[in-house]
Amino acid sequence: MKPEILKYYLILLFCLAIGVLQAQDDESAEKIELIMEQTETEQDFSELLDNIENLKEHPINLNTASKEELLKLFFLDELVISNLIAYREQYGDLVSIYELQVINGFSYFLIRQILPYVTVKKSPVLQKPITFNNLRKYGKNELWLRYQQVLNISKGYKSISENELAKNPNARYLGTPQKLYARYGFNYNERVRFGITAEKDAGEEFFAGNQKQGFDFYSGFFYLHDVGKMKKLVVGDYQLQFGQSLALWTGLGFGKSSDAVEIKKYGQSIKPSTSANENNYLRGIASTFKFGKLEADIFASYTHKDATVTSQGKDAEENFIIILQETGYHRTPNELAKRKSIVEQLAGAHLSFQHKQFKIGTLAYNSIYTPVSLSQFSKWSSLVQNGWHSSVDFSWVTRKCIFFGEAARNQTGKYAVSAGMQALLTETVRFSALYRNYNRDYKLPYAAAFRENTHIGNEKGIYLGMLANLFPRTQLDLYADFFKFPWLRYQVDAPSKGVEYLAKVSYSLTSRSQIYFLYRYKTKEENTQEIVHIKYLENITNERFRINFKTSPTLQWSLQSRIEFSFHNKISGEKTQGFLAFQDISYRLSKIPLNLTLRYAVFETDTYDDRIYAYENDMLNCFSIPAYYYKGSRFYILVHWNINKAFELWIRYAMTHYANRQTIGSGLDEINSPTKSDIGVQLRMKF
C-alpha cells in the first residue's frame, strides 16, 4: 500500500472509531445510492428523487393503503405486502409502525428504511370530490428555479476568430455556460395534477439564435386519477412501464445492486413525466380503465427524437439508418442537426387480468419511425424498428414465494425471455433467482430489463441472490450473476462470458449508527490490448472493497466515512488499482432551519478503468454521481435553508483538484487547469 494511501486510511479509521454514538440515520440517501451505484452509464434519476420527496410529504397509511399504493414504496415487494395485508385482515389496524416486526419479511433494516415514508392512522381520510372550489382551496402549487454552472472557462466558451469559426463551425459552443431549470406543478390529493418543466443545458442558446423560444426543452402534462372506471388519464408527456421491462419501459430502469434479492420490477403502467430527460419519454395521451378483474392501458404517442440519420444503399430516399441520441445536448451546429431529426409514433395497449394473487398481462404496440430504418445496420446500437412488438407477463404470489416473468417478441420475430422468483425461506432468510435469455438481434429502444450489457440483446444469464438477517441487527446480502454473450459485441470480437459476485455485511451498532462491508468481484472477457493481427479474448477482472460507516452523535450532527479500493487485473500481466476515501459531515442548526453538509474526498487511481463512483448529496431532485479517477481531492458544501413554509433555498459549491493533471476533460469541455469548480442555486416555492 502506498504511504499516502496508508495515511488517509488511518485518518478515516480514526473517524470510524469515534462514531459509535446515537442519532437518526438518513435511509433514503443510502437506498438511492444502492440503486445508483451499479449504473455507470449516464441516466436521469430526477424522477426517482421526486418520488422519494413526494412520499416524504405524503406518507402512506399502512392501515388503509392498497397493494398498488404500497408498491410505490420501492423498498417493499409483493411478498412482504401480501403478508402485511393478510395481517391487517386477521388482526385489524396496526397500533404502531413497530408492530411490523411481527410480520413475516419485515426485518429491522427494512422497517428503518420505510420509516420516513409511512404512517399509521386509525381511519381513512375521506376523499373530497373534484370540484373547482376544492381544487382552488386544497390544491398545492410548487415552483422550482435552478441555476448551475462550471466556473472554469472551458475551450468551448473561449473566443476564436471569425476565420477559424468559418472553417469549423463546431469549434465552440453556441450558447452560454449556465444550466437553467424551471418547473411548475399543481397537485390535488394525487387525483388531479398538472405541470410544466423547462431546461437549458450548459452551452445551449437561450432566447437567441436557434432558441428564440427560450429554453431548449419543454415538457408538460395533465393527470387525472381514480375517476369512476378510469383509474388514470395523462395528456401530454408520460411514462409507460409494463411487465419486467422487456418490451416497453420508459424512464429509469434498475439492474443489479447490493439489495441482492430485489430483482423484480414493479412498473406503474402509466404515469406523468416530470423529468427533464429529452428523449426517454412519450408525448400524447394514455389512460387506464378497470372493469372488475380486468385492467386496460391504452396509449398513443407522437414525438420528435434526436437521432443520427444516414442514408444507405441504392435508394437513398427510402433507406436510412437511425441511431437514437440520448444526451439531449444541442450546443453546436453538429448537435443541432440531430435535434428532432426523426418522428416517432407509438400506439398500443396492455391488458391484464388478476384473480386473487395471480396476474397475467399482454402488451402489443406499433412503432413507426420516419425516416425508415434498416434493421441490418448496426451490431451494437439499440436500433429503432418499424412494426408490431408484443409481450406476455405474469406474476403469482403465494404465501412464501413470488414467481414472475415476461416473454417478448420484436418486429423482426426475435425474442427475449426473463423469468424469476423470490422466496421467504425462513423468517430471516430470503432468496431470489432470475433467468434471462435475450436473442442477439432483439433490439428495442424502450427495453430496460435486467442485464449486464449496455443494451438489451445478445445475452444469457442466471442470477442468484440471498438476504439473511443473521442476528437482530446484522444483515448479509449475497449475489452471484453468471452471464454470457453468444455473439460479438462492442470491442469483443468473439462470443464471451463472465461472472459477478457480491457480498455485503451490514451491522447496526446502535439505532443511530450503522457500518457495512462490501466486496464485489467481476470478471468478463474482452479483446486483448496487445497489438496482434487477430484479437484474442482475455479475462478482465475487477475487484472492489468498501467499508462505510454512518452515525449521528446528536440530533444536529451526522457523519459518514468511507474507504474503497479498486483492483483491475488482466491476463496479460497488467495490474492497476484505485483508492477513494471521504468524510461527510452534516450539521443541522437548532435555532434556525438551516442544514449544512460537506464532504472532503481523496482519491488515486492508476487508470480511468479503476475509477470509483460515489453518490453525493445535492440540491433536492438533483443528483450527482461523479467518477473519481487519477490523483486528487474533491470538496463540496451544500446549504439547505427552510426560509419559511413557502420558501426553501439550496446552495451547492464543489471543487475537484487533480495533483497529476494540468488539464481536465477533452474536446470543447477541456479546462486548462488542474482544478475544476462548479456552483448550483435552487429555490423552491410552495403556495
Side-chain angles (χ1 to χ4, degrees):
M1 187 181 293
K2 298 179 180 180
E4 296 86 351
I5 293 180
L6 180 60
K7 177 180 68 175
Y8 296 130
Y9 178 77
L10 293 174
I11 291 173
L12 283 182
L13 278 183
F14 175 75
C15 294
L16 295 178
I18 65 172
V20 187
L21 301 164
Q22 304 291 317
Q24 178 64 45
D25 236 336
D26 182 6
E27 295 295 336
S28 61
E30 181 179 339
K31 182 67 176 182
I32 295 168
E33 182 170 28
L34 293 179
I35 294 171
M36 294 178 176
E37 63 184 0
Q38 283 284 75
T39 311
E40 297 186 357
T41 56
E42 187 172 334
Q43 293 198 41
D44 185 359
F45 294 95
S46 59
E47 286 206 42
L48 170 64
L49 301 172
D50 193 31
N51 290 339
I52 290 173
E53 180 63 20
N54 192 50
L55 285 170
K56 281 185 179 179
E57 295 186 356
H58 305 93
I60 292 176
N61 186 358
L62 295 177
N63 283 331
T64 60
S66 65
K67 176 181 175 180
E68 288 71 24
E69 290 174 308
L70 290 168
L71 282 173
K72 293 180 181 178
L73 285 167
F74 51 85
F75 302 93
L76 305 181
D77 59 37
E78 284 181 298
L79 192 59
V80 175
I81 290 171
S82 296
N83 291 340
L84 170 61
I85 293 174
Y87 182 88
R88 287 189 329 205
E89 292 173 349
Q90 184 173 358
Y91 299 104
D93 289 352
L94 279 71
V95 178
S96 164
I97 291 176
Y98 296 99
E99 194 176 341
L100 293 171
Q101 295 176 85
V102 301
I103 302 176
N104 241 357
F106 282 93
S107 66
Y108 169 82
F109 288 90
L110 181 58
I111 295 171
R112 287 183 61 191
Q113 286 178 333
I114 67 173
L115 275 177
Y117 316 110
V118 297
T119 185
V120 170
K121 296 179 181 178
K122 284 292 182 183
S123 57
V125 179
L126 295 177
Q127 264 193 355
K128 296 181 176 66
I130 299 175
T131 65
F132 178 78
N133 285 335
N134 284 340
L135 291 174
R136 180 181 55 83
K137 186 176 181 179
Y138 300 107
K140 296 182 179 180
N141 299 272
E142 285 188 348
L143 178 64
W144 302 72
L145 299 173
R146 185 189 305 154
Y147 153 82
Q148 293 170 285
Q149 182 176 345
V150 175
L151 299 178
N152 308 77
I153 300 176
S154 64
K155 183 179 179 181
Y157 300 106
K158 293 181 178 179
S159 59
I160 60 175
S161 68
E162 293 185 5
N163 289 336
E164 289 180 288
L165 190 60
K167 292 178 182 178
N168 183 8
N170 297 293
R172 73 181 312 273
Y173 292 137
L174 297 171
T176 59
Q178 294 80 28
K179 181 175 182 178
L180 304 176
Y181 174 91
R183 174 179 152 195
Y184 165 76
F186 173 87
N187 191 337
Y188 171 70
N189 294 332
E190 295 296 312
R191 296 190 66 199
V192 180
R193 293 174 57 192
F194 55 84
I196 185 170
T197 301
E199 185 196 48
K200 167 203 174 298
D201 288 310
E204 294 175 343
E205 296 169 294
F206 189 60
F207 285 108
N210 297 280
Q211 304 295 347
K212 290 184 173 60
Q213 73 276 18
F215 291 90
D216 174 74
F217 176 70
Y218 290 95
S219 174
F221 71 89
F222 174 79
Y223 175 71
L224 278 177
H225 176 68
D226 203 11
V227 181
K229 296 292 184 182
M230 186 178 69
K231 296 304 176 183
K232 298 178 184 179
L233 171 68
V234 184
V235 179
D237 293 347
Y238 59 89
Q239 307 281 4
L240 295 177
Q241 298 177 345
F242 299 117
Q244 294 305 300
S245 68
L246 276 183
L248 185 54
W249 187 290
T250 62
L252 188 63
F254 308 134
K256 287 177 282 188
S257 79
S258 52
D259 271 351
V261 298
E262 298 301 331
I263 55 174
K264 186 180 186 295
K265 293 197 174 184
Y266 297 96
Q268 297 184 37
S269 64
I270 295 170
K271 65 175 186 175
S273 175
T274 59
S275 169
N277 189 303
E278 300 186 28
N279 283 284
N280 199 4
Y281 69 96
L282 300 174
R283 176 169 290 174
I285 185 169
S287 188
T288 301
F289 297 90
K290 191 164 186 178
F291 308 95
K293 298 179 180 181
L294 183 66
E295 189 169 284
D297 303 289
I298 305 169
F299 54 91
S301 170
Y302 180 96
T303 185
H304 290 80
K305 299 290 184 181
D306 293 358
T308 299
V309 181
T310 307
S311 62
Q312 296 283 325
K314 296 178 181 180
D315 191 349
E317 294 184 357
E318 296 183 1
N319 295 299
F320 289 87
I321 303 306
I322 299 175
I323 303 176
L324 295 178
Q325 302 296 313
E326 300 177 354
T327 64
Y329 293 143
H330 308 118
R331 305 164 298 181
T332 64
N334 185 43
E335 291 176 347
L336 279 169
K338 301 172 184 177
R339 186 175 190 262
K340 297 183 178 181
S341 56
I342 65 170
V343 174
E344 176 192 76
Q345 300 176 69
L346 260 69
H350 180 267
L351 301 176
S352 62
F353 174 82
Q354 182 162 359
H355 177 67
K356 295 183 179 179
Q357 298 294 339
F358 179 77
K359 184 176 182 179
I360 187 168
T362 180
L363 167 71
Y365 72 96
N366 186 33
S367 62
I368 301 174
Y369 293 89
T370 308
V372 179
S373 66
L374 292 176
S375 61
Q376 66 268 28
F377 171 63
S378 177
K379 298 188 294 291
W380 324 120
S381 64
S382 182
L383 194 64
V384 299
Q385 295 175 345
N386 290 347
W388 285 93
H389 319 287
S390 58
S391 73
V392 176
D393 62 89
F394 78 94
S395 175
W396 180 33
V397 183
T398 67
R399 198 169 70 89
K400 290 193 174 183
C401 293
I402 307 174
F403 301 93
F404 59 91
E406 183 177 12
R409 179 184 182 276
N410 67 2
Q411 182 270 342
T412 62
K414 307 306 178 184
Y415 65 88
V417 176
S418 175
M421 59 88 71
Q422 292 174 276
L424 191 62
L425 301 182
T426 69
E427 292 185 0
T428 58
V429 179
R430 299 175 65 191
F431 173 78
S432 65
L434 180 74
Y435 168 77
R436 60 194 188 273
N437 186 346
Y438 312 144
N439 186 278
R440 75 180 197 188
D441 294 319
Y442 183 85
K443 297 175 183 178
L444 285 176
Y446 295 125
F450 188 100
R451 64 193 185 275
E452 174 65 25
N453 247 337
T454 304
H455 298 291
I456 296 294
N458 186 31
E459 183 173 344
K460 295 181 180 180
I462 295 177
Y463 174 95
L464 304 172
M466 186 186 76
L467 182 152
N469 296 108
L470 305 176
F471 305 101
R473 294 192 175 186
T474 304
Q475 180 171 295
L476 173 66
D477 287 270
L478 299 170
Y479 76 64
D481 187 29
F482 307 91
F483 50 85
K484 62 180 179 179
F485 312 106
W487 190 241
L488 318 183
R489 57 193 182 96
Y490 182 63
Q491 292 187 342
V492 183
D493 297 338
S496 57
K497 61 183 183 298
V499 64
E500 180 176 0
Y501 303 106
L502 177 137
K504 179 186 175 186
V505 180
S506 305
Y507 176 61
S508 282
L509 303 167
T510 69
S511 62
R512 297 174 178 177
S513 301
Q514 182 180 347
I515 188 170
Y516 75 77
F517 303 88
L518 183 146
Y519 170 72
R520 179 182 287 119
Y521 172 92
K522 179 189 285 189
T523 180
K524 59 182 178 180
E525 297 174 324
E526 295 182 7
N527 285 344
T528 181
Q529 299 301 309
E530 296 182 6
I531 301 175
V532 292
H533 293 294
I534 300 177
K535 291 287 186 180
Y536 61 89
L537 302 185
E538 63 177 3
N539 282 316
I540 309 298
T541 299
N542 185 270
E543 294 180 272
R544 295 182 183 275
F545 301 87
R546 178 192 300 171
I547 177 172
N548 190 90
F549 181 80
K550 293 177 69 175
T551 188
S552 297
T554 67
L555 292 176
Q556 283 74 43
W557 288 94
S558 180
L559 306 172
Q560 178 178 213
S561 306
R562 176 176 298 179
I563 304 166
E564 186 162 349
F565 296 93
S566 170
F567 299 95
H568 206 70
N569 300 319
K570 299 180 181 180
I571 287 181
S572 58
E574 183 183 2
K575 294 184 179 181
T576 57
Q577 63 183 24
F579 166 81
L580 167 68
F582 67 70
Q583 178 65 49
D584 286 352
I585 301 175
S586 296
Y587 179 67
R588 180 182 304 167
L589 278 70
S590 55
K591 294 185 178 180
I592 58 174
L594 188 72
N595 293 348
L596 300 174
T597 302
L598 62 89
R599 169 179 295 179
Y600 180 72
V602 292
F603 55 91
E604 183 174 357
T605 71
D606 295 330
T607 68
Y608 179 74
D609 289 336
D610 304 300
R611 63 192 181 279
I612 300 173
Y613 290 85
Y615 172 78
E616 295 183 347
N617 290 295
D618 208 324
M619 300 176 290
L620 188 61
N621 288 2
C622 288
F623 57 93
S624 178
I625 320 168
Y628 294 84
Y629 56 91
Y630 300 139
K631 182 180 181 180
S633 60
R634 179 170 171 81
F635 163 84
Y636 76 80
I637 182 168
L638 174 65
V639 180
H640 176 206
W641 181 20
N642 277 294
I643 302 172
N644 52 42
K645 291 184 178 180
F647 293 93
E648 281 183 90
L649 178 68
W650 290 263
I651 301 175
R652 188 179 192 269
Y653 173 79
M655 182 181 70
T656 305
H657 175 76
Y658 291 92
N660 57 351
R661 291 287 183 275
Q662 294 304 312
T663 60
I664 302 173
S666 60
L668 297 185
D669 290 326
E670 183 179 277
I671 296 171
N672 190 24
S673 169
T675 301
K676 178 181 178 181
S677 57
D678 59 85
I679 191 170
V681 180
Q682 178 172 274
L683 180 66
R684 180 192 192 189
M685 292 171 275
K686 302 178 183 178
F687 53 97

